[in-house]
Amino acid sequence: MAGIVSVIVDGIAYGMLLFLFSIGLSVTLGLMRFINLAHGAFAMFGGYVAVTLMNGYGVPFLLLLPVAFLATGLFGAVAEKLVIRHVYPMPELQQVLFSIGLAFAAGAVANIIFGPQQQPMLLPGWLAQRISVLGIDITGYRIFLIGAGLVAAAALIALFSYTLYGARVRAAVDSRRTAEGMGINVSLLFSLTFGLGAAFAGLGGALAVGFLGLDPTFPLKYLVIVLMVVAIGGPGSIAGSFIAAIFIGVIDALFKYFVPEIGGFVIYAVLVVMMVFFPKGLAGGRTA
Amino acid sequence: MNRMKLSLGVAVSLATAALIWGGSAQAQQKKLTVGVVLPLSGTYADQGRHYEDGMKLYQKLHGNSAAGVPVEMVVRDDQGPGSGDLARRLTQELIVRNGADVILGYSFTPTAMSVATLLNEAKKPAILVNATGAAVLPRSEYFVRVSITAAQFAEPLARWALKNNIKTVYTLVADFAPGIEMENAFKKVFEGGGGKIIGGARTPVSAMEYSPFLQRAIEAKPEAIFAFNPGGDVSVAFMKQAKERNLAKAGIKLIVSGDVVDESMLAAMGDAVDGVVSSLNYQPDLKNPANEKFLKGFHDMMGANAVPSARTVQGYDGMALIYQALEKTGGKTDADSLLAALKEAKIDSPRGPISIDPKTRDIVQNMYIRRGVQKDGKWVNATEEAFENIKGTAN
Amino acid sequence: MNSVTSSVTSSVMRIGIGLPLFLVAVASYFLFPGQLGLIAHLFILAIFALSYDLLQGHAGVVSLGHAVFFGIGAYTTAILGRHGVSDPLVVLVLAFLVSGAVAGLLTRIVVVGNDLTRLLVTLGIGFLFFEAANKANWLTGGADGMPDFEVGRLFGLYAFDFMGKTAFWYTLAVLAVVYLFLLLVTSSPFGVALRGIRENVRRMHAIGAPVNRHLAVTYIMSGAIAGIAGALLAQTSRFASLDMLGFERSAEVMMMATLGGTGSIPGVVLGAATFGYLKDMLSVISPKYWHLGIGIVLMLSVFVLRSGIAGALAGLARRMERRA
């Protein structure tokens, strides 16, 4: 029994990471209607920032996280202003083409700078320990991930539902023209939101290194699963992405435990079933 | 009609540009061209790079020619194990366009399998720097393997386990041919010596989540878990997650094939390698003149903190084989002479003495049992035991 | 009678652009005798891209799982070869039928939903097939693939030789047939209906056009032709592997069609050939970092070639026409 619970907890932790990765994609898809398949590159950026700071400059782990968050957010906002916003008006196919090209290029640049090998990230001792919660052994790190994910989800939902910024974003999603007509600076809003999405991806990337490793193939490796989370959750919905990510993490873990022969198969079957019955995702087209 | 004119114009320009760009006649001077086929992009780029480093290092340390014949490398990227058709086409191009006399490379078994019939038609020898599958060598008379086989990994580990009074083992191998071969090889020796495999699972080749599999393994309460996965990010994830599960506390030893804990990846694994026993054909702490020369050259080329991988040595030795073959044929570069010389190769490698078995064309080498320990604040594998002259394939 | 002749005539007129392309292809045999393998590969990519563009460019359906049919064609070839059926043309026809049949089974799932949904459903189906093939390693060889199956002589006479001569003519011939077939289909009333569906599906429903049936037929044709491409790859390389079913291949074919100019038959051929050739050339120049080159090319292409290669060439033609 304890075994199953620890597997589920691990699955939830994995799901939290997926959630952090996918927030940005969900928001850009819902808000700017921009298909950004290079979103994983932001996660990778955050990961490399964290690794460089820790291994090159001895920055303590807890400090790495906000730095990765801010650095990636800034990078994202700048990229949006300089390059990405020119791609918004293009038809979807060109957006896909562009963003895949960006993903390739980002991976190649990471390869040139850091090399193709796995990056070392040594977690601080207090995180790497096994803690006993209600008689079940769980690694401290996984609990930390779950906590981080919950905090992020709560913060984002609060942001979008209760702040002026959030209201403006929702207005711009509903009707860009009307929002602009009301004096909302929509392009600034887009930059900020894109940056926010990138920041969370960067945070996710920094957190993932200790658990999934980091190398230049990161953007394309996780692209598909992040797309799945966004699709099942419903683009533009934070709560939807959250539920979808946890769902995927847990289902994957459970099936690998009980029926290892079909393990990886299941999440794709889930995707197909969900898409056929819930084409707009769990959130059904609503934001936040 | 204008559209027609335009299209013709485009076609003519394309053709002209292509003519200028296209095939050029090869200068006819005596040299040995080595066609190198490695995964240099994608998930396994790290492994490909190690082989290439080894090859380049050998040339740096021993000069660019052997027996008076210049040896030139032409390198192509086969993008990893998925694309056997690409590797085949690249091999063909290397032979036809670049005039390759011998092919060096093939990190993965399926890649090597896909080119077997091509090599038979082209009649060119190929040296495998990895491709550990048992089914590969019989496919073509032109294959020579300088790397390692599943049997060579598994046998010493199984013998070590028996010697150390381990009676029950649970196996966790990656679900593809090398993994299954390892499982079988280990089982054969272990059970042959009185041990018992009490269970096992096969993990998806590119899985990053091992928690459920490890949990199952722990519940089976074996005395040791024997594991194999293909290296790179997958192995790092596996080791980290194995550490999370605290196998030591459950009294379970972790024994793995050496490429899971290859020296070059230890930095990324940290204390996950503590006490983990593995078998590999190369150890940086081996004391022999060839290794000293190799390590010095390696650190000159890659920096004092760089750590060589067994794959680097495999690439290095592949090139060494070519040089020695050239010396033996007195500079003759035709396929039959080269192949005959390659089949009799004996080299003092950084891993100890190695030779090619002329009947199976497979490698015969020493295998080393190592344990993960902390030394000078860094995690390294320390050699515990050596098993000598293990054959790659039994004949 | 009239509709058939008029679609044949209009196809013949449209061949105009295809003819120089065909001549260049034939010329390449003599110009690049050392690269026949690469060129045959480009032909195969073109067939695959054409099959995909029937869906994307003509019916407006975007799919991220099209490689499934490519892979099925390849594996059918390999499995038949292992069991003694090795005449290339027989196998080609069988691969065509098997892929088409599988497409037929999947039409229900694919003709529903909006763009994003369909994208993800096709993605999911692609992965399902990939995992299934991976697991069924008794049939498919799993992650190791299937090397070394029998590939017979073409017409009982021409073996697939080391230099790739047979492969070259064989794949070129199939490409020409597929090209002409697509010209015919897209000029026919069926093709016009597809364009209508692509442009305004609601109106098509409103005028009573059997939209779902048209989409289903298109999907089946598209899958069957992709199966041909896969079979050709398996026959010319004597290898079938999981990546032939995989996501990268599906993503690539979408990129090739878009790069070439979705909706334009010669454009797609050029797009596939260009993309395939660029990948090869860049990886020769820099085996380790060629992804950067491809990434930059793709990113630039959306700015410079807004409607793909075909769009750029058409723009050039218009400018020349104005001057003339």
Side-chain angles (χ1 to χ4, degrees):
Chain A
M1 188 56 209
I4 303 178
V5 175
S6 86
V7 165
I8 293 180
V9 170
D10 284 348
I12 295 178
Y14 181 56
M16 290 290 175
L17 269 183
L18 293 180
F19 168 62
L20 289 172
F21 289 160
S22 61
I23 297 171
L25 186 60
S26 178
V27 167
T28 33
L29 200 52
L31 175 61
M32 283 96 97
R33 313 249 185 266
F34 171 53
I35 304 174
N36 180 17
L37 296 180
H39 188 67
F42 293 121
M44 185 179 74
F45 184 87
Y48 276 112
V49 164
V51 164
T52 313
L53 287 177
M54 175 184 253
N55 296 334
Y57 300 94
V59 176
F61 182 75
L62 280 182
L63 195 54
L64 291 177
L65 301 177
V67 174
F69 182 83
L70 290 168
T72 318
L74 200 64
F75 177 61
V78 168
E80 197 271 349
K81 236 199 165 59
L82 290 180
V83 181
I84 307 223
R85 64 173 43 193
H86 299 288
V87 185
Y88 291 157
M90 294 193 184
E92 274 148 6
L93 289 176
Q94 317 302 104
Q95 288 183 351
V96 167
L97 208 61
F98 178 83
S99 54
I100 291 190
L102 184 57
F104 275 144
V109 169
N111 192 2
I112 295 174
I113 301 179
F114 296 101
Q117 70 273 20
Q118 280 297 301
Q119 294 298 325
M121 156 84 76
L122 296 174
L123 297 173
W126 58 273
L127 268 185
Q129 290 188 30
R130 295 280 290 176
I131 302 173
S132 207
V133 174
L134 304 171
I136 306 160
D137 267 349
I138 309 176
T139 317
Y141 195 56
R142 304 245 184 183
I143 298 181
F144 185 75
L145 282 176
I146 295 178
L150 286 170
V151 166
L156 281 166
I157 294 180
L159 184 70
F160 282 112
S161 309
Y162 301 118
T163 63
L164 188 58
Y165 163 77
R168 290 197 178 127
V169 166
R170 279 180 288 133
V173 169
D174 284 340
S175 169
R176 177 173 181 164
R177 218 173 283 164
T178 316
E180 276 176 333
M182 308 256 310
I184 297 177
N185 185 344
V186 173
S187 39
L188 181 63
L189 211 62
F190 281 5
S191 286
L192 279 175
T193 313
F194 192 84
L196 193 67
F200 274 102
L203 178 65
L207 285 170
V209 184
F211 169 27
L212 296 173
L214 176 68
D215 65 56
T217 63
F218 207 86
L220 293 167
K221 215 175 2 182
Y222 292 101
L223 172 63
V224 176
I225 200 160
V226 167
L227 267 179
M228 290 206 285
V229 168
V230 171
I232 295 178
S237 163
I238 304 291
S241 291
F242 186 77
I243 297 175
I246 307 292
F247 183 54
I248 288 181
V250 171
I251 295 259
D252 190 48
L254 279 179
F255 274 91
K256 281 198 174 130
Y257 180 78
F258 283 114
V259 201
E261 297 82 45
I262 60 167
F265 205 74
V266 179
I267 44 176
Y268 305 119
V270 166
L271 174 70
V272 174
V273 165
M274 291 297 294
M275 286 292 95
V276 170
F277 290 110
F278 296 98
K280 288 225 175 87
L282 291 171
R286 295 187 305 266
T287 14
Chain B
M1 237 15 232
N2 264 328
R3 206 163 273 233
M4 185 73 156
K5 258 196 235 164
L6 171 70
S7 331
L8 276 173
V10 168
V12 168
S13 349
L14 274 176
T16 323
L19 186 64
I20 300 172
W21 213 342
S24 48
Q26 290 286 15
Q28 287 309 323
Q29 74 196 93
K30 184 85 188 288
K31 65 177 169 176
L32 182 82
T33 307
V34 179
V36 176
V37 178
L38 290 172
L40 292 170
S41 69
T43 322
Y44 295 98
D46 193 31
Q47 296 184 2
R49 192 191 55 155
H50 288 311
Y51 300 119
E52 201 194 355
D53 287 343
M55 296 174 196
K56 287 204 182 124
L57 181 61
Y58 191 88
Q59 288 214 292
K60 196 145 172 271
L61 293 178
H62 296 89
N64 287 330
S65 59
V69 177
V71 175
E72 202 179 275
M73 271 176 33
V74 179
V75 180
R76 299 297 303 269
D77 169 27
D78 75 7
Q79 299 178 40
S83 43
D85 58 301
L86 177 63
R88 193 185 162 98
R89 184 158 53 82
L90 291 175
T91 308
Q92 192 252 15
E93 281 182 20
L94 282 168
I95 296 176
V96 169
R97 270 170 86 184
N98 303 94
D101 303 289
V102 61
I103 311 286
L104 180 60
Y106 306 125
S107 186
F108 291 97
T109 305
T111 323
M113 300 274 266
S114 76
V115 302
T117 49
L118 190 82
L119 289 172
N120 288 342
E121 255 191 274
K123 300 200 201 318
K124 298 277 177 201
I127 301 177
L128 304 174
V129 292
N130 199 39
T132 61
V136 180
L137 293 180
R139 286 268 199 236
S140 165
E141 283 294 308
Y142 290 91
F143 278 137
V144 170
R145 176 154 54 204
V146 78
S147 55
I148 193 165
T149 62
Q152 282 173 328
F153 273 121
E155 194 190 306
L157 274 181
R159 286 206 252 155
W160 179 90
L162 289 167
K163 248 178 31 176
N164 283 271
N165 282 321
I166 295 178
K167 306 240 179 357
T168 56
V169 165
Y170 186 97
T171 62
L172 268 182
V173 298
D175 195 2
F176 65 144
I180 300 174
E181 274 176 37
M182 276 222 213
E183 194 188 274
N184 292 336
F186 185 88
K187 194 165 158 176
K188 194 165 123 190
V189 177
F190 190 66
E191 287 189 338
K196 193 157 157 32
I197 309 278
I198 57 172
R202 296 190 180 159
T203 58
V205 177
S206 41
M208 297 291 282
E209 254 295 275
Y210 289 94
S211 267
F213 300 109
L214 285 165
Q215 184 61 30
R216 273 272 189 230
I218 295 173
E219 285 166 9
K221 296 207 207 313
E223 286 172 44
I225 294 180
F226 167 64
F228 161 69
N229 31 72
D233 51 355
V234 164
S235 294
V236 171
F238 174 79
M239 290 302 296
K240 282 190 171 163
Q241 287 161 30
K243 173 78 188 172
E244 276 186 351
R245 295 262 145 199
N246 210 337
L247 296 172
K249 194 166 122 194
I252 302 179
K253 290 203 173 54
L254 182 59
I255 53 182
V256 297
S257 86
D259 47 5
V260 174
V261 288
D262 188 273
E263 213 69 24
S264 62
M265 294 193 299
L266 290 185
M269 294 182 186
D271 62 355
V273 302
D274 190 9
V276 173
V277 171
S278 57
S279 66
L280 194 57
N281 54 1
Y282 174 71
Q283 258 299 97
D285 64 10
L286 289 173
K287 301 261 175 290
N288 63 63
N291 196 19
E292 277 170 36
K293 182 169 178 187
F294 169 77
L295 284 174
K296 181 161 183 318
F298 182 77
H299 287 131
D300 282 341
M301 192 168 105
M302 308 289 298
N305 283 327
V307 181
S309 156
R311 302 178 197 274
T312 320
V313 174
Q314 281 165 203
Y316 186 85
D317 287 342
M319 196 51 102
L321 233 60
I322 292 176
Y323 273 52
Q324 195 187 73
L326 262 183
E327 302 274 341
K328 278 216 192 114
T329 64
K332 286 209 276 198
T333 59
D334 65 286
D336 290 324
S337 320
L338 280 177
L339 193 61
L342 285 170
K343 291 208 297 206
E344 311 212 314
K346 281 199 207 332
I347 295 192
D348 281 324
S349 152
R351 35 181 154 156
I354 64 171
S355 63
I356 303 290
D357 181 331
K359 268 203 246 148
T360 60
R361 289 166 280 113
D362 211 343
I363 181 137
V364 180
Q365 60 187 331
N366 295 351
M367 291 296 296
Y368 304 96
I369 298 283
R370 324 92 54 84
R371 188 189 294 266
V373 297
Q374 197 169 29
K375 200 163 137 190
D376 301 329
K378 284 208 282 205
W379 287 96
V380 296
N381 283 313
T383 316
E384 276 209 347
E385 233 186 291
F387 287 81
E388 304 202 338
N389 286 328
I390 313 269
K391 288 207 176 122
T393 323
N395 25 15
Chain C
M1 194 58 207
N2 272 337
S3 60
V4 173
T5 36
S6 65
S7 46
V8 170
T9 347
S10 63
S11 320
V12 169
M13 283 178 49
R14 287 170 64 197
I15 289 180
I17 306 170
L19 195 55
L21 285 179
F22 184 74
L23 291 176
V24 170
V26 171
S28 64
Y29 179 79
F30 303 100
L31 292 171
F32 308 111
Q35 291 176 262
L36 299 180
L38 174 61
I39 303 177
H41 187 73
L42 296 180
F43 294 156
I44 294 175
L45 287 179
I47 298 173
F48 185 36
L50 282 175
S51 81
Y52 176 71
D53 201 51
L54 187 60
L55 267 182
Q56 177 177 287
H58 296 277
V61 172
V62 179
S63 156
L64 272 182
H66 207 61
V68 165
F69 305 110
F70 187 85
I72 289 179
Y75 275 107
T76 309
T77 309
I79 295 171
L80 286 172
R82 284 258 172 97
H83 288 90
V85 181
S86 66
D87 180 85
L89 292 175
V90 169
V91 169
L92 202 63
V93 170
L94 287 173
F96 176 81
L97 292 173
V98 171
S99 305
V102 175
L105 292 172
L106 293 174
T107 55
R108 283 248 44 214
I109 310 186
V110 147
V111 300
V112 298
N114 59 38
D115 270 344
L116 182 63
T117 315
R118 205 156 34 198
L119 205 72
L120 291 153
V121 169
T122 51
L123 180 76
I125 292 181
F127 273 103
L128 279 178
F129 271 88
F130 183 90
E131 289 296 329
N134 196 357
K135 284 296 165 191
N137 48 18
W138 51 271
L139 184 65
T140 62
D144 301 310
M146 292 179 77
D148 280 353
F149 41 86
E150 264 298 303
V151 178
R153 290 164 177 265
L154 191 57
F155 306 127
L157 292 171
Y158 304 103
F160 283 95
D161 61 304
F162 172 72
M163 290 297 288
K165 296 189 200 158
T166 314
F168 180 95
W169 294 114
Y170 178 46
T171 49
L172 181 56
V174 175
L175 174 59
V177 168
V178 168
Y179 190 99
L180 292 171
F181 175 71
L182 284 178
L183 278 183
L184 208 65
V185 166
T186 55
S187 323
S188 71
F190 180 78
V192 176
L194 282 186
R195 263 203 298 288
I197 294 174
R198 183 187 74 205
E199 267 151 41
N200 194 331
V201 70
R202 249 181 251 166
R203 203 187 292 173
M204 292 302 287
H205 278 297
I207 64 172
V211 171
N212 283 348
R213 205 183 59 205
H214 281 331
L215 284 178
V217 169
T218 311
Y219 193 66
I220 293 176
M221 276 201 287
S222 170
I225 299 176
I228 291 183
L232 286 176
L233 184 61
Q235 288 174 330
T236 54
S237 65
R238 299 255 224 120
F239 195 76
S241 58
L242 287 178
D243 75 299
M244 294 181 188
L245 291 165
F247 172 66
E248 284 82 15
R249 222 171 261 273
S250 294
E252 263 183 13
V253 77
M254 184 213 227
M255 291 195 278
M256 291 192 282
T258 309
L259 186 68
T262 199
S264 155
I265 295 177
V268 165
V269 170
L270 276 176
T274 309
F275 188 77
Y277 183 71
L278 268 178
K279 263 180 81 172
D280 188 77
M281 181 188 82
L282 288 171
S283 88
V284 169
I285 295 177
S286 173
K288 288 201 273 242
Y289 304 121
W290 60 270
H291 274 179
L292 183 61
I294 282 278
I296 293 178
V297 166
L298 287 175
M299 289 196 284
L300 284 178
S301 77
V302 308
F303 291 107
V304 170
L305 301 170
R306 290 213 174 214
S307 316
I309 297 179
L313 287 178
L316 221 78
R318 270 196 302 273
R319 255 182 284 162
M320 284 180 65
E321 258 168 33
R322 251 182 272 144
R323 238 174 269 161

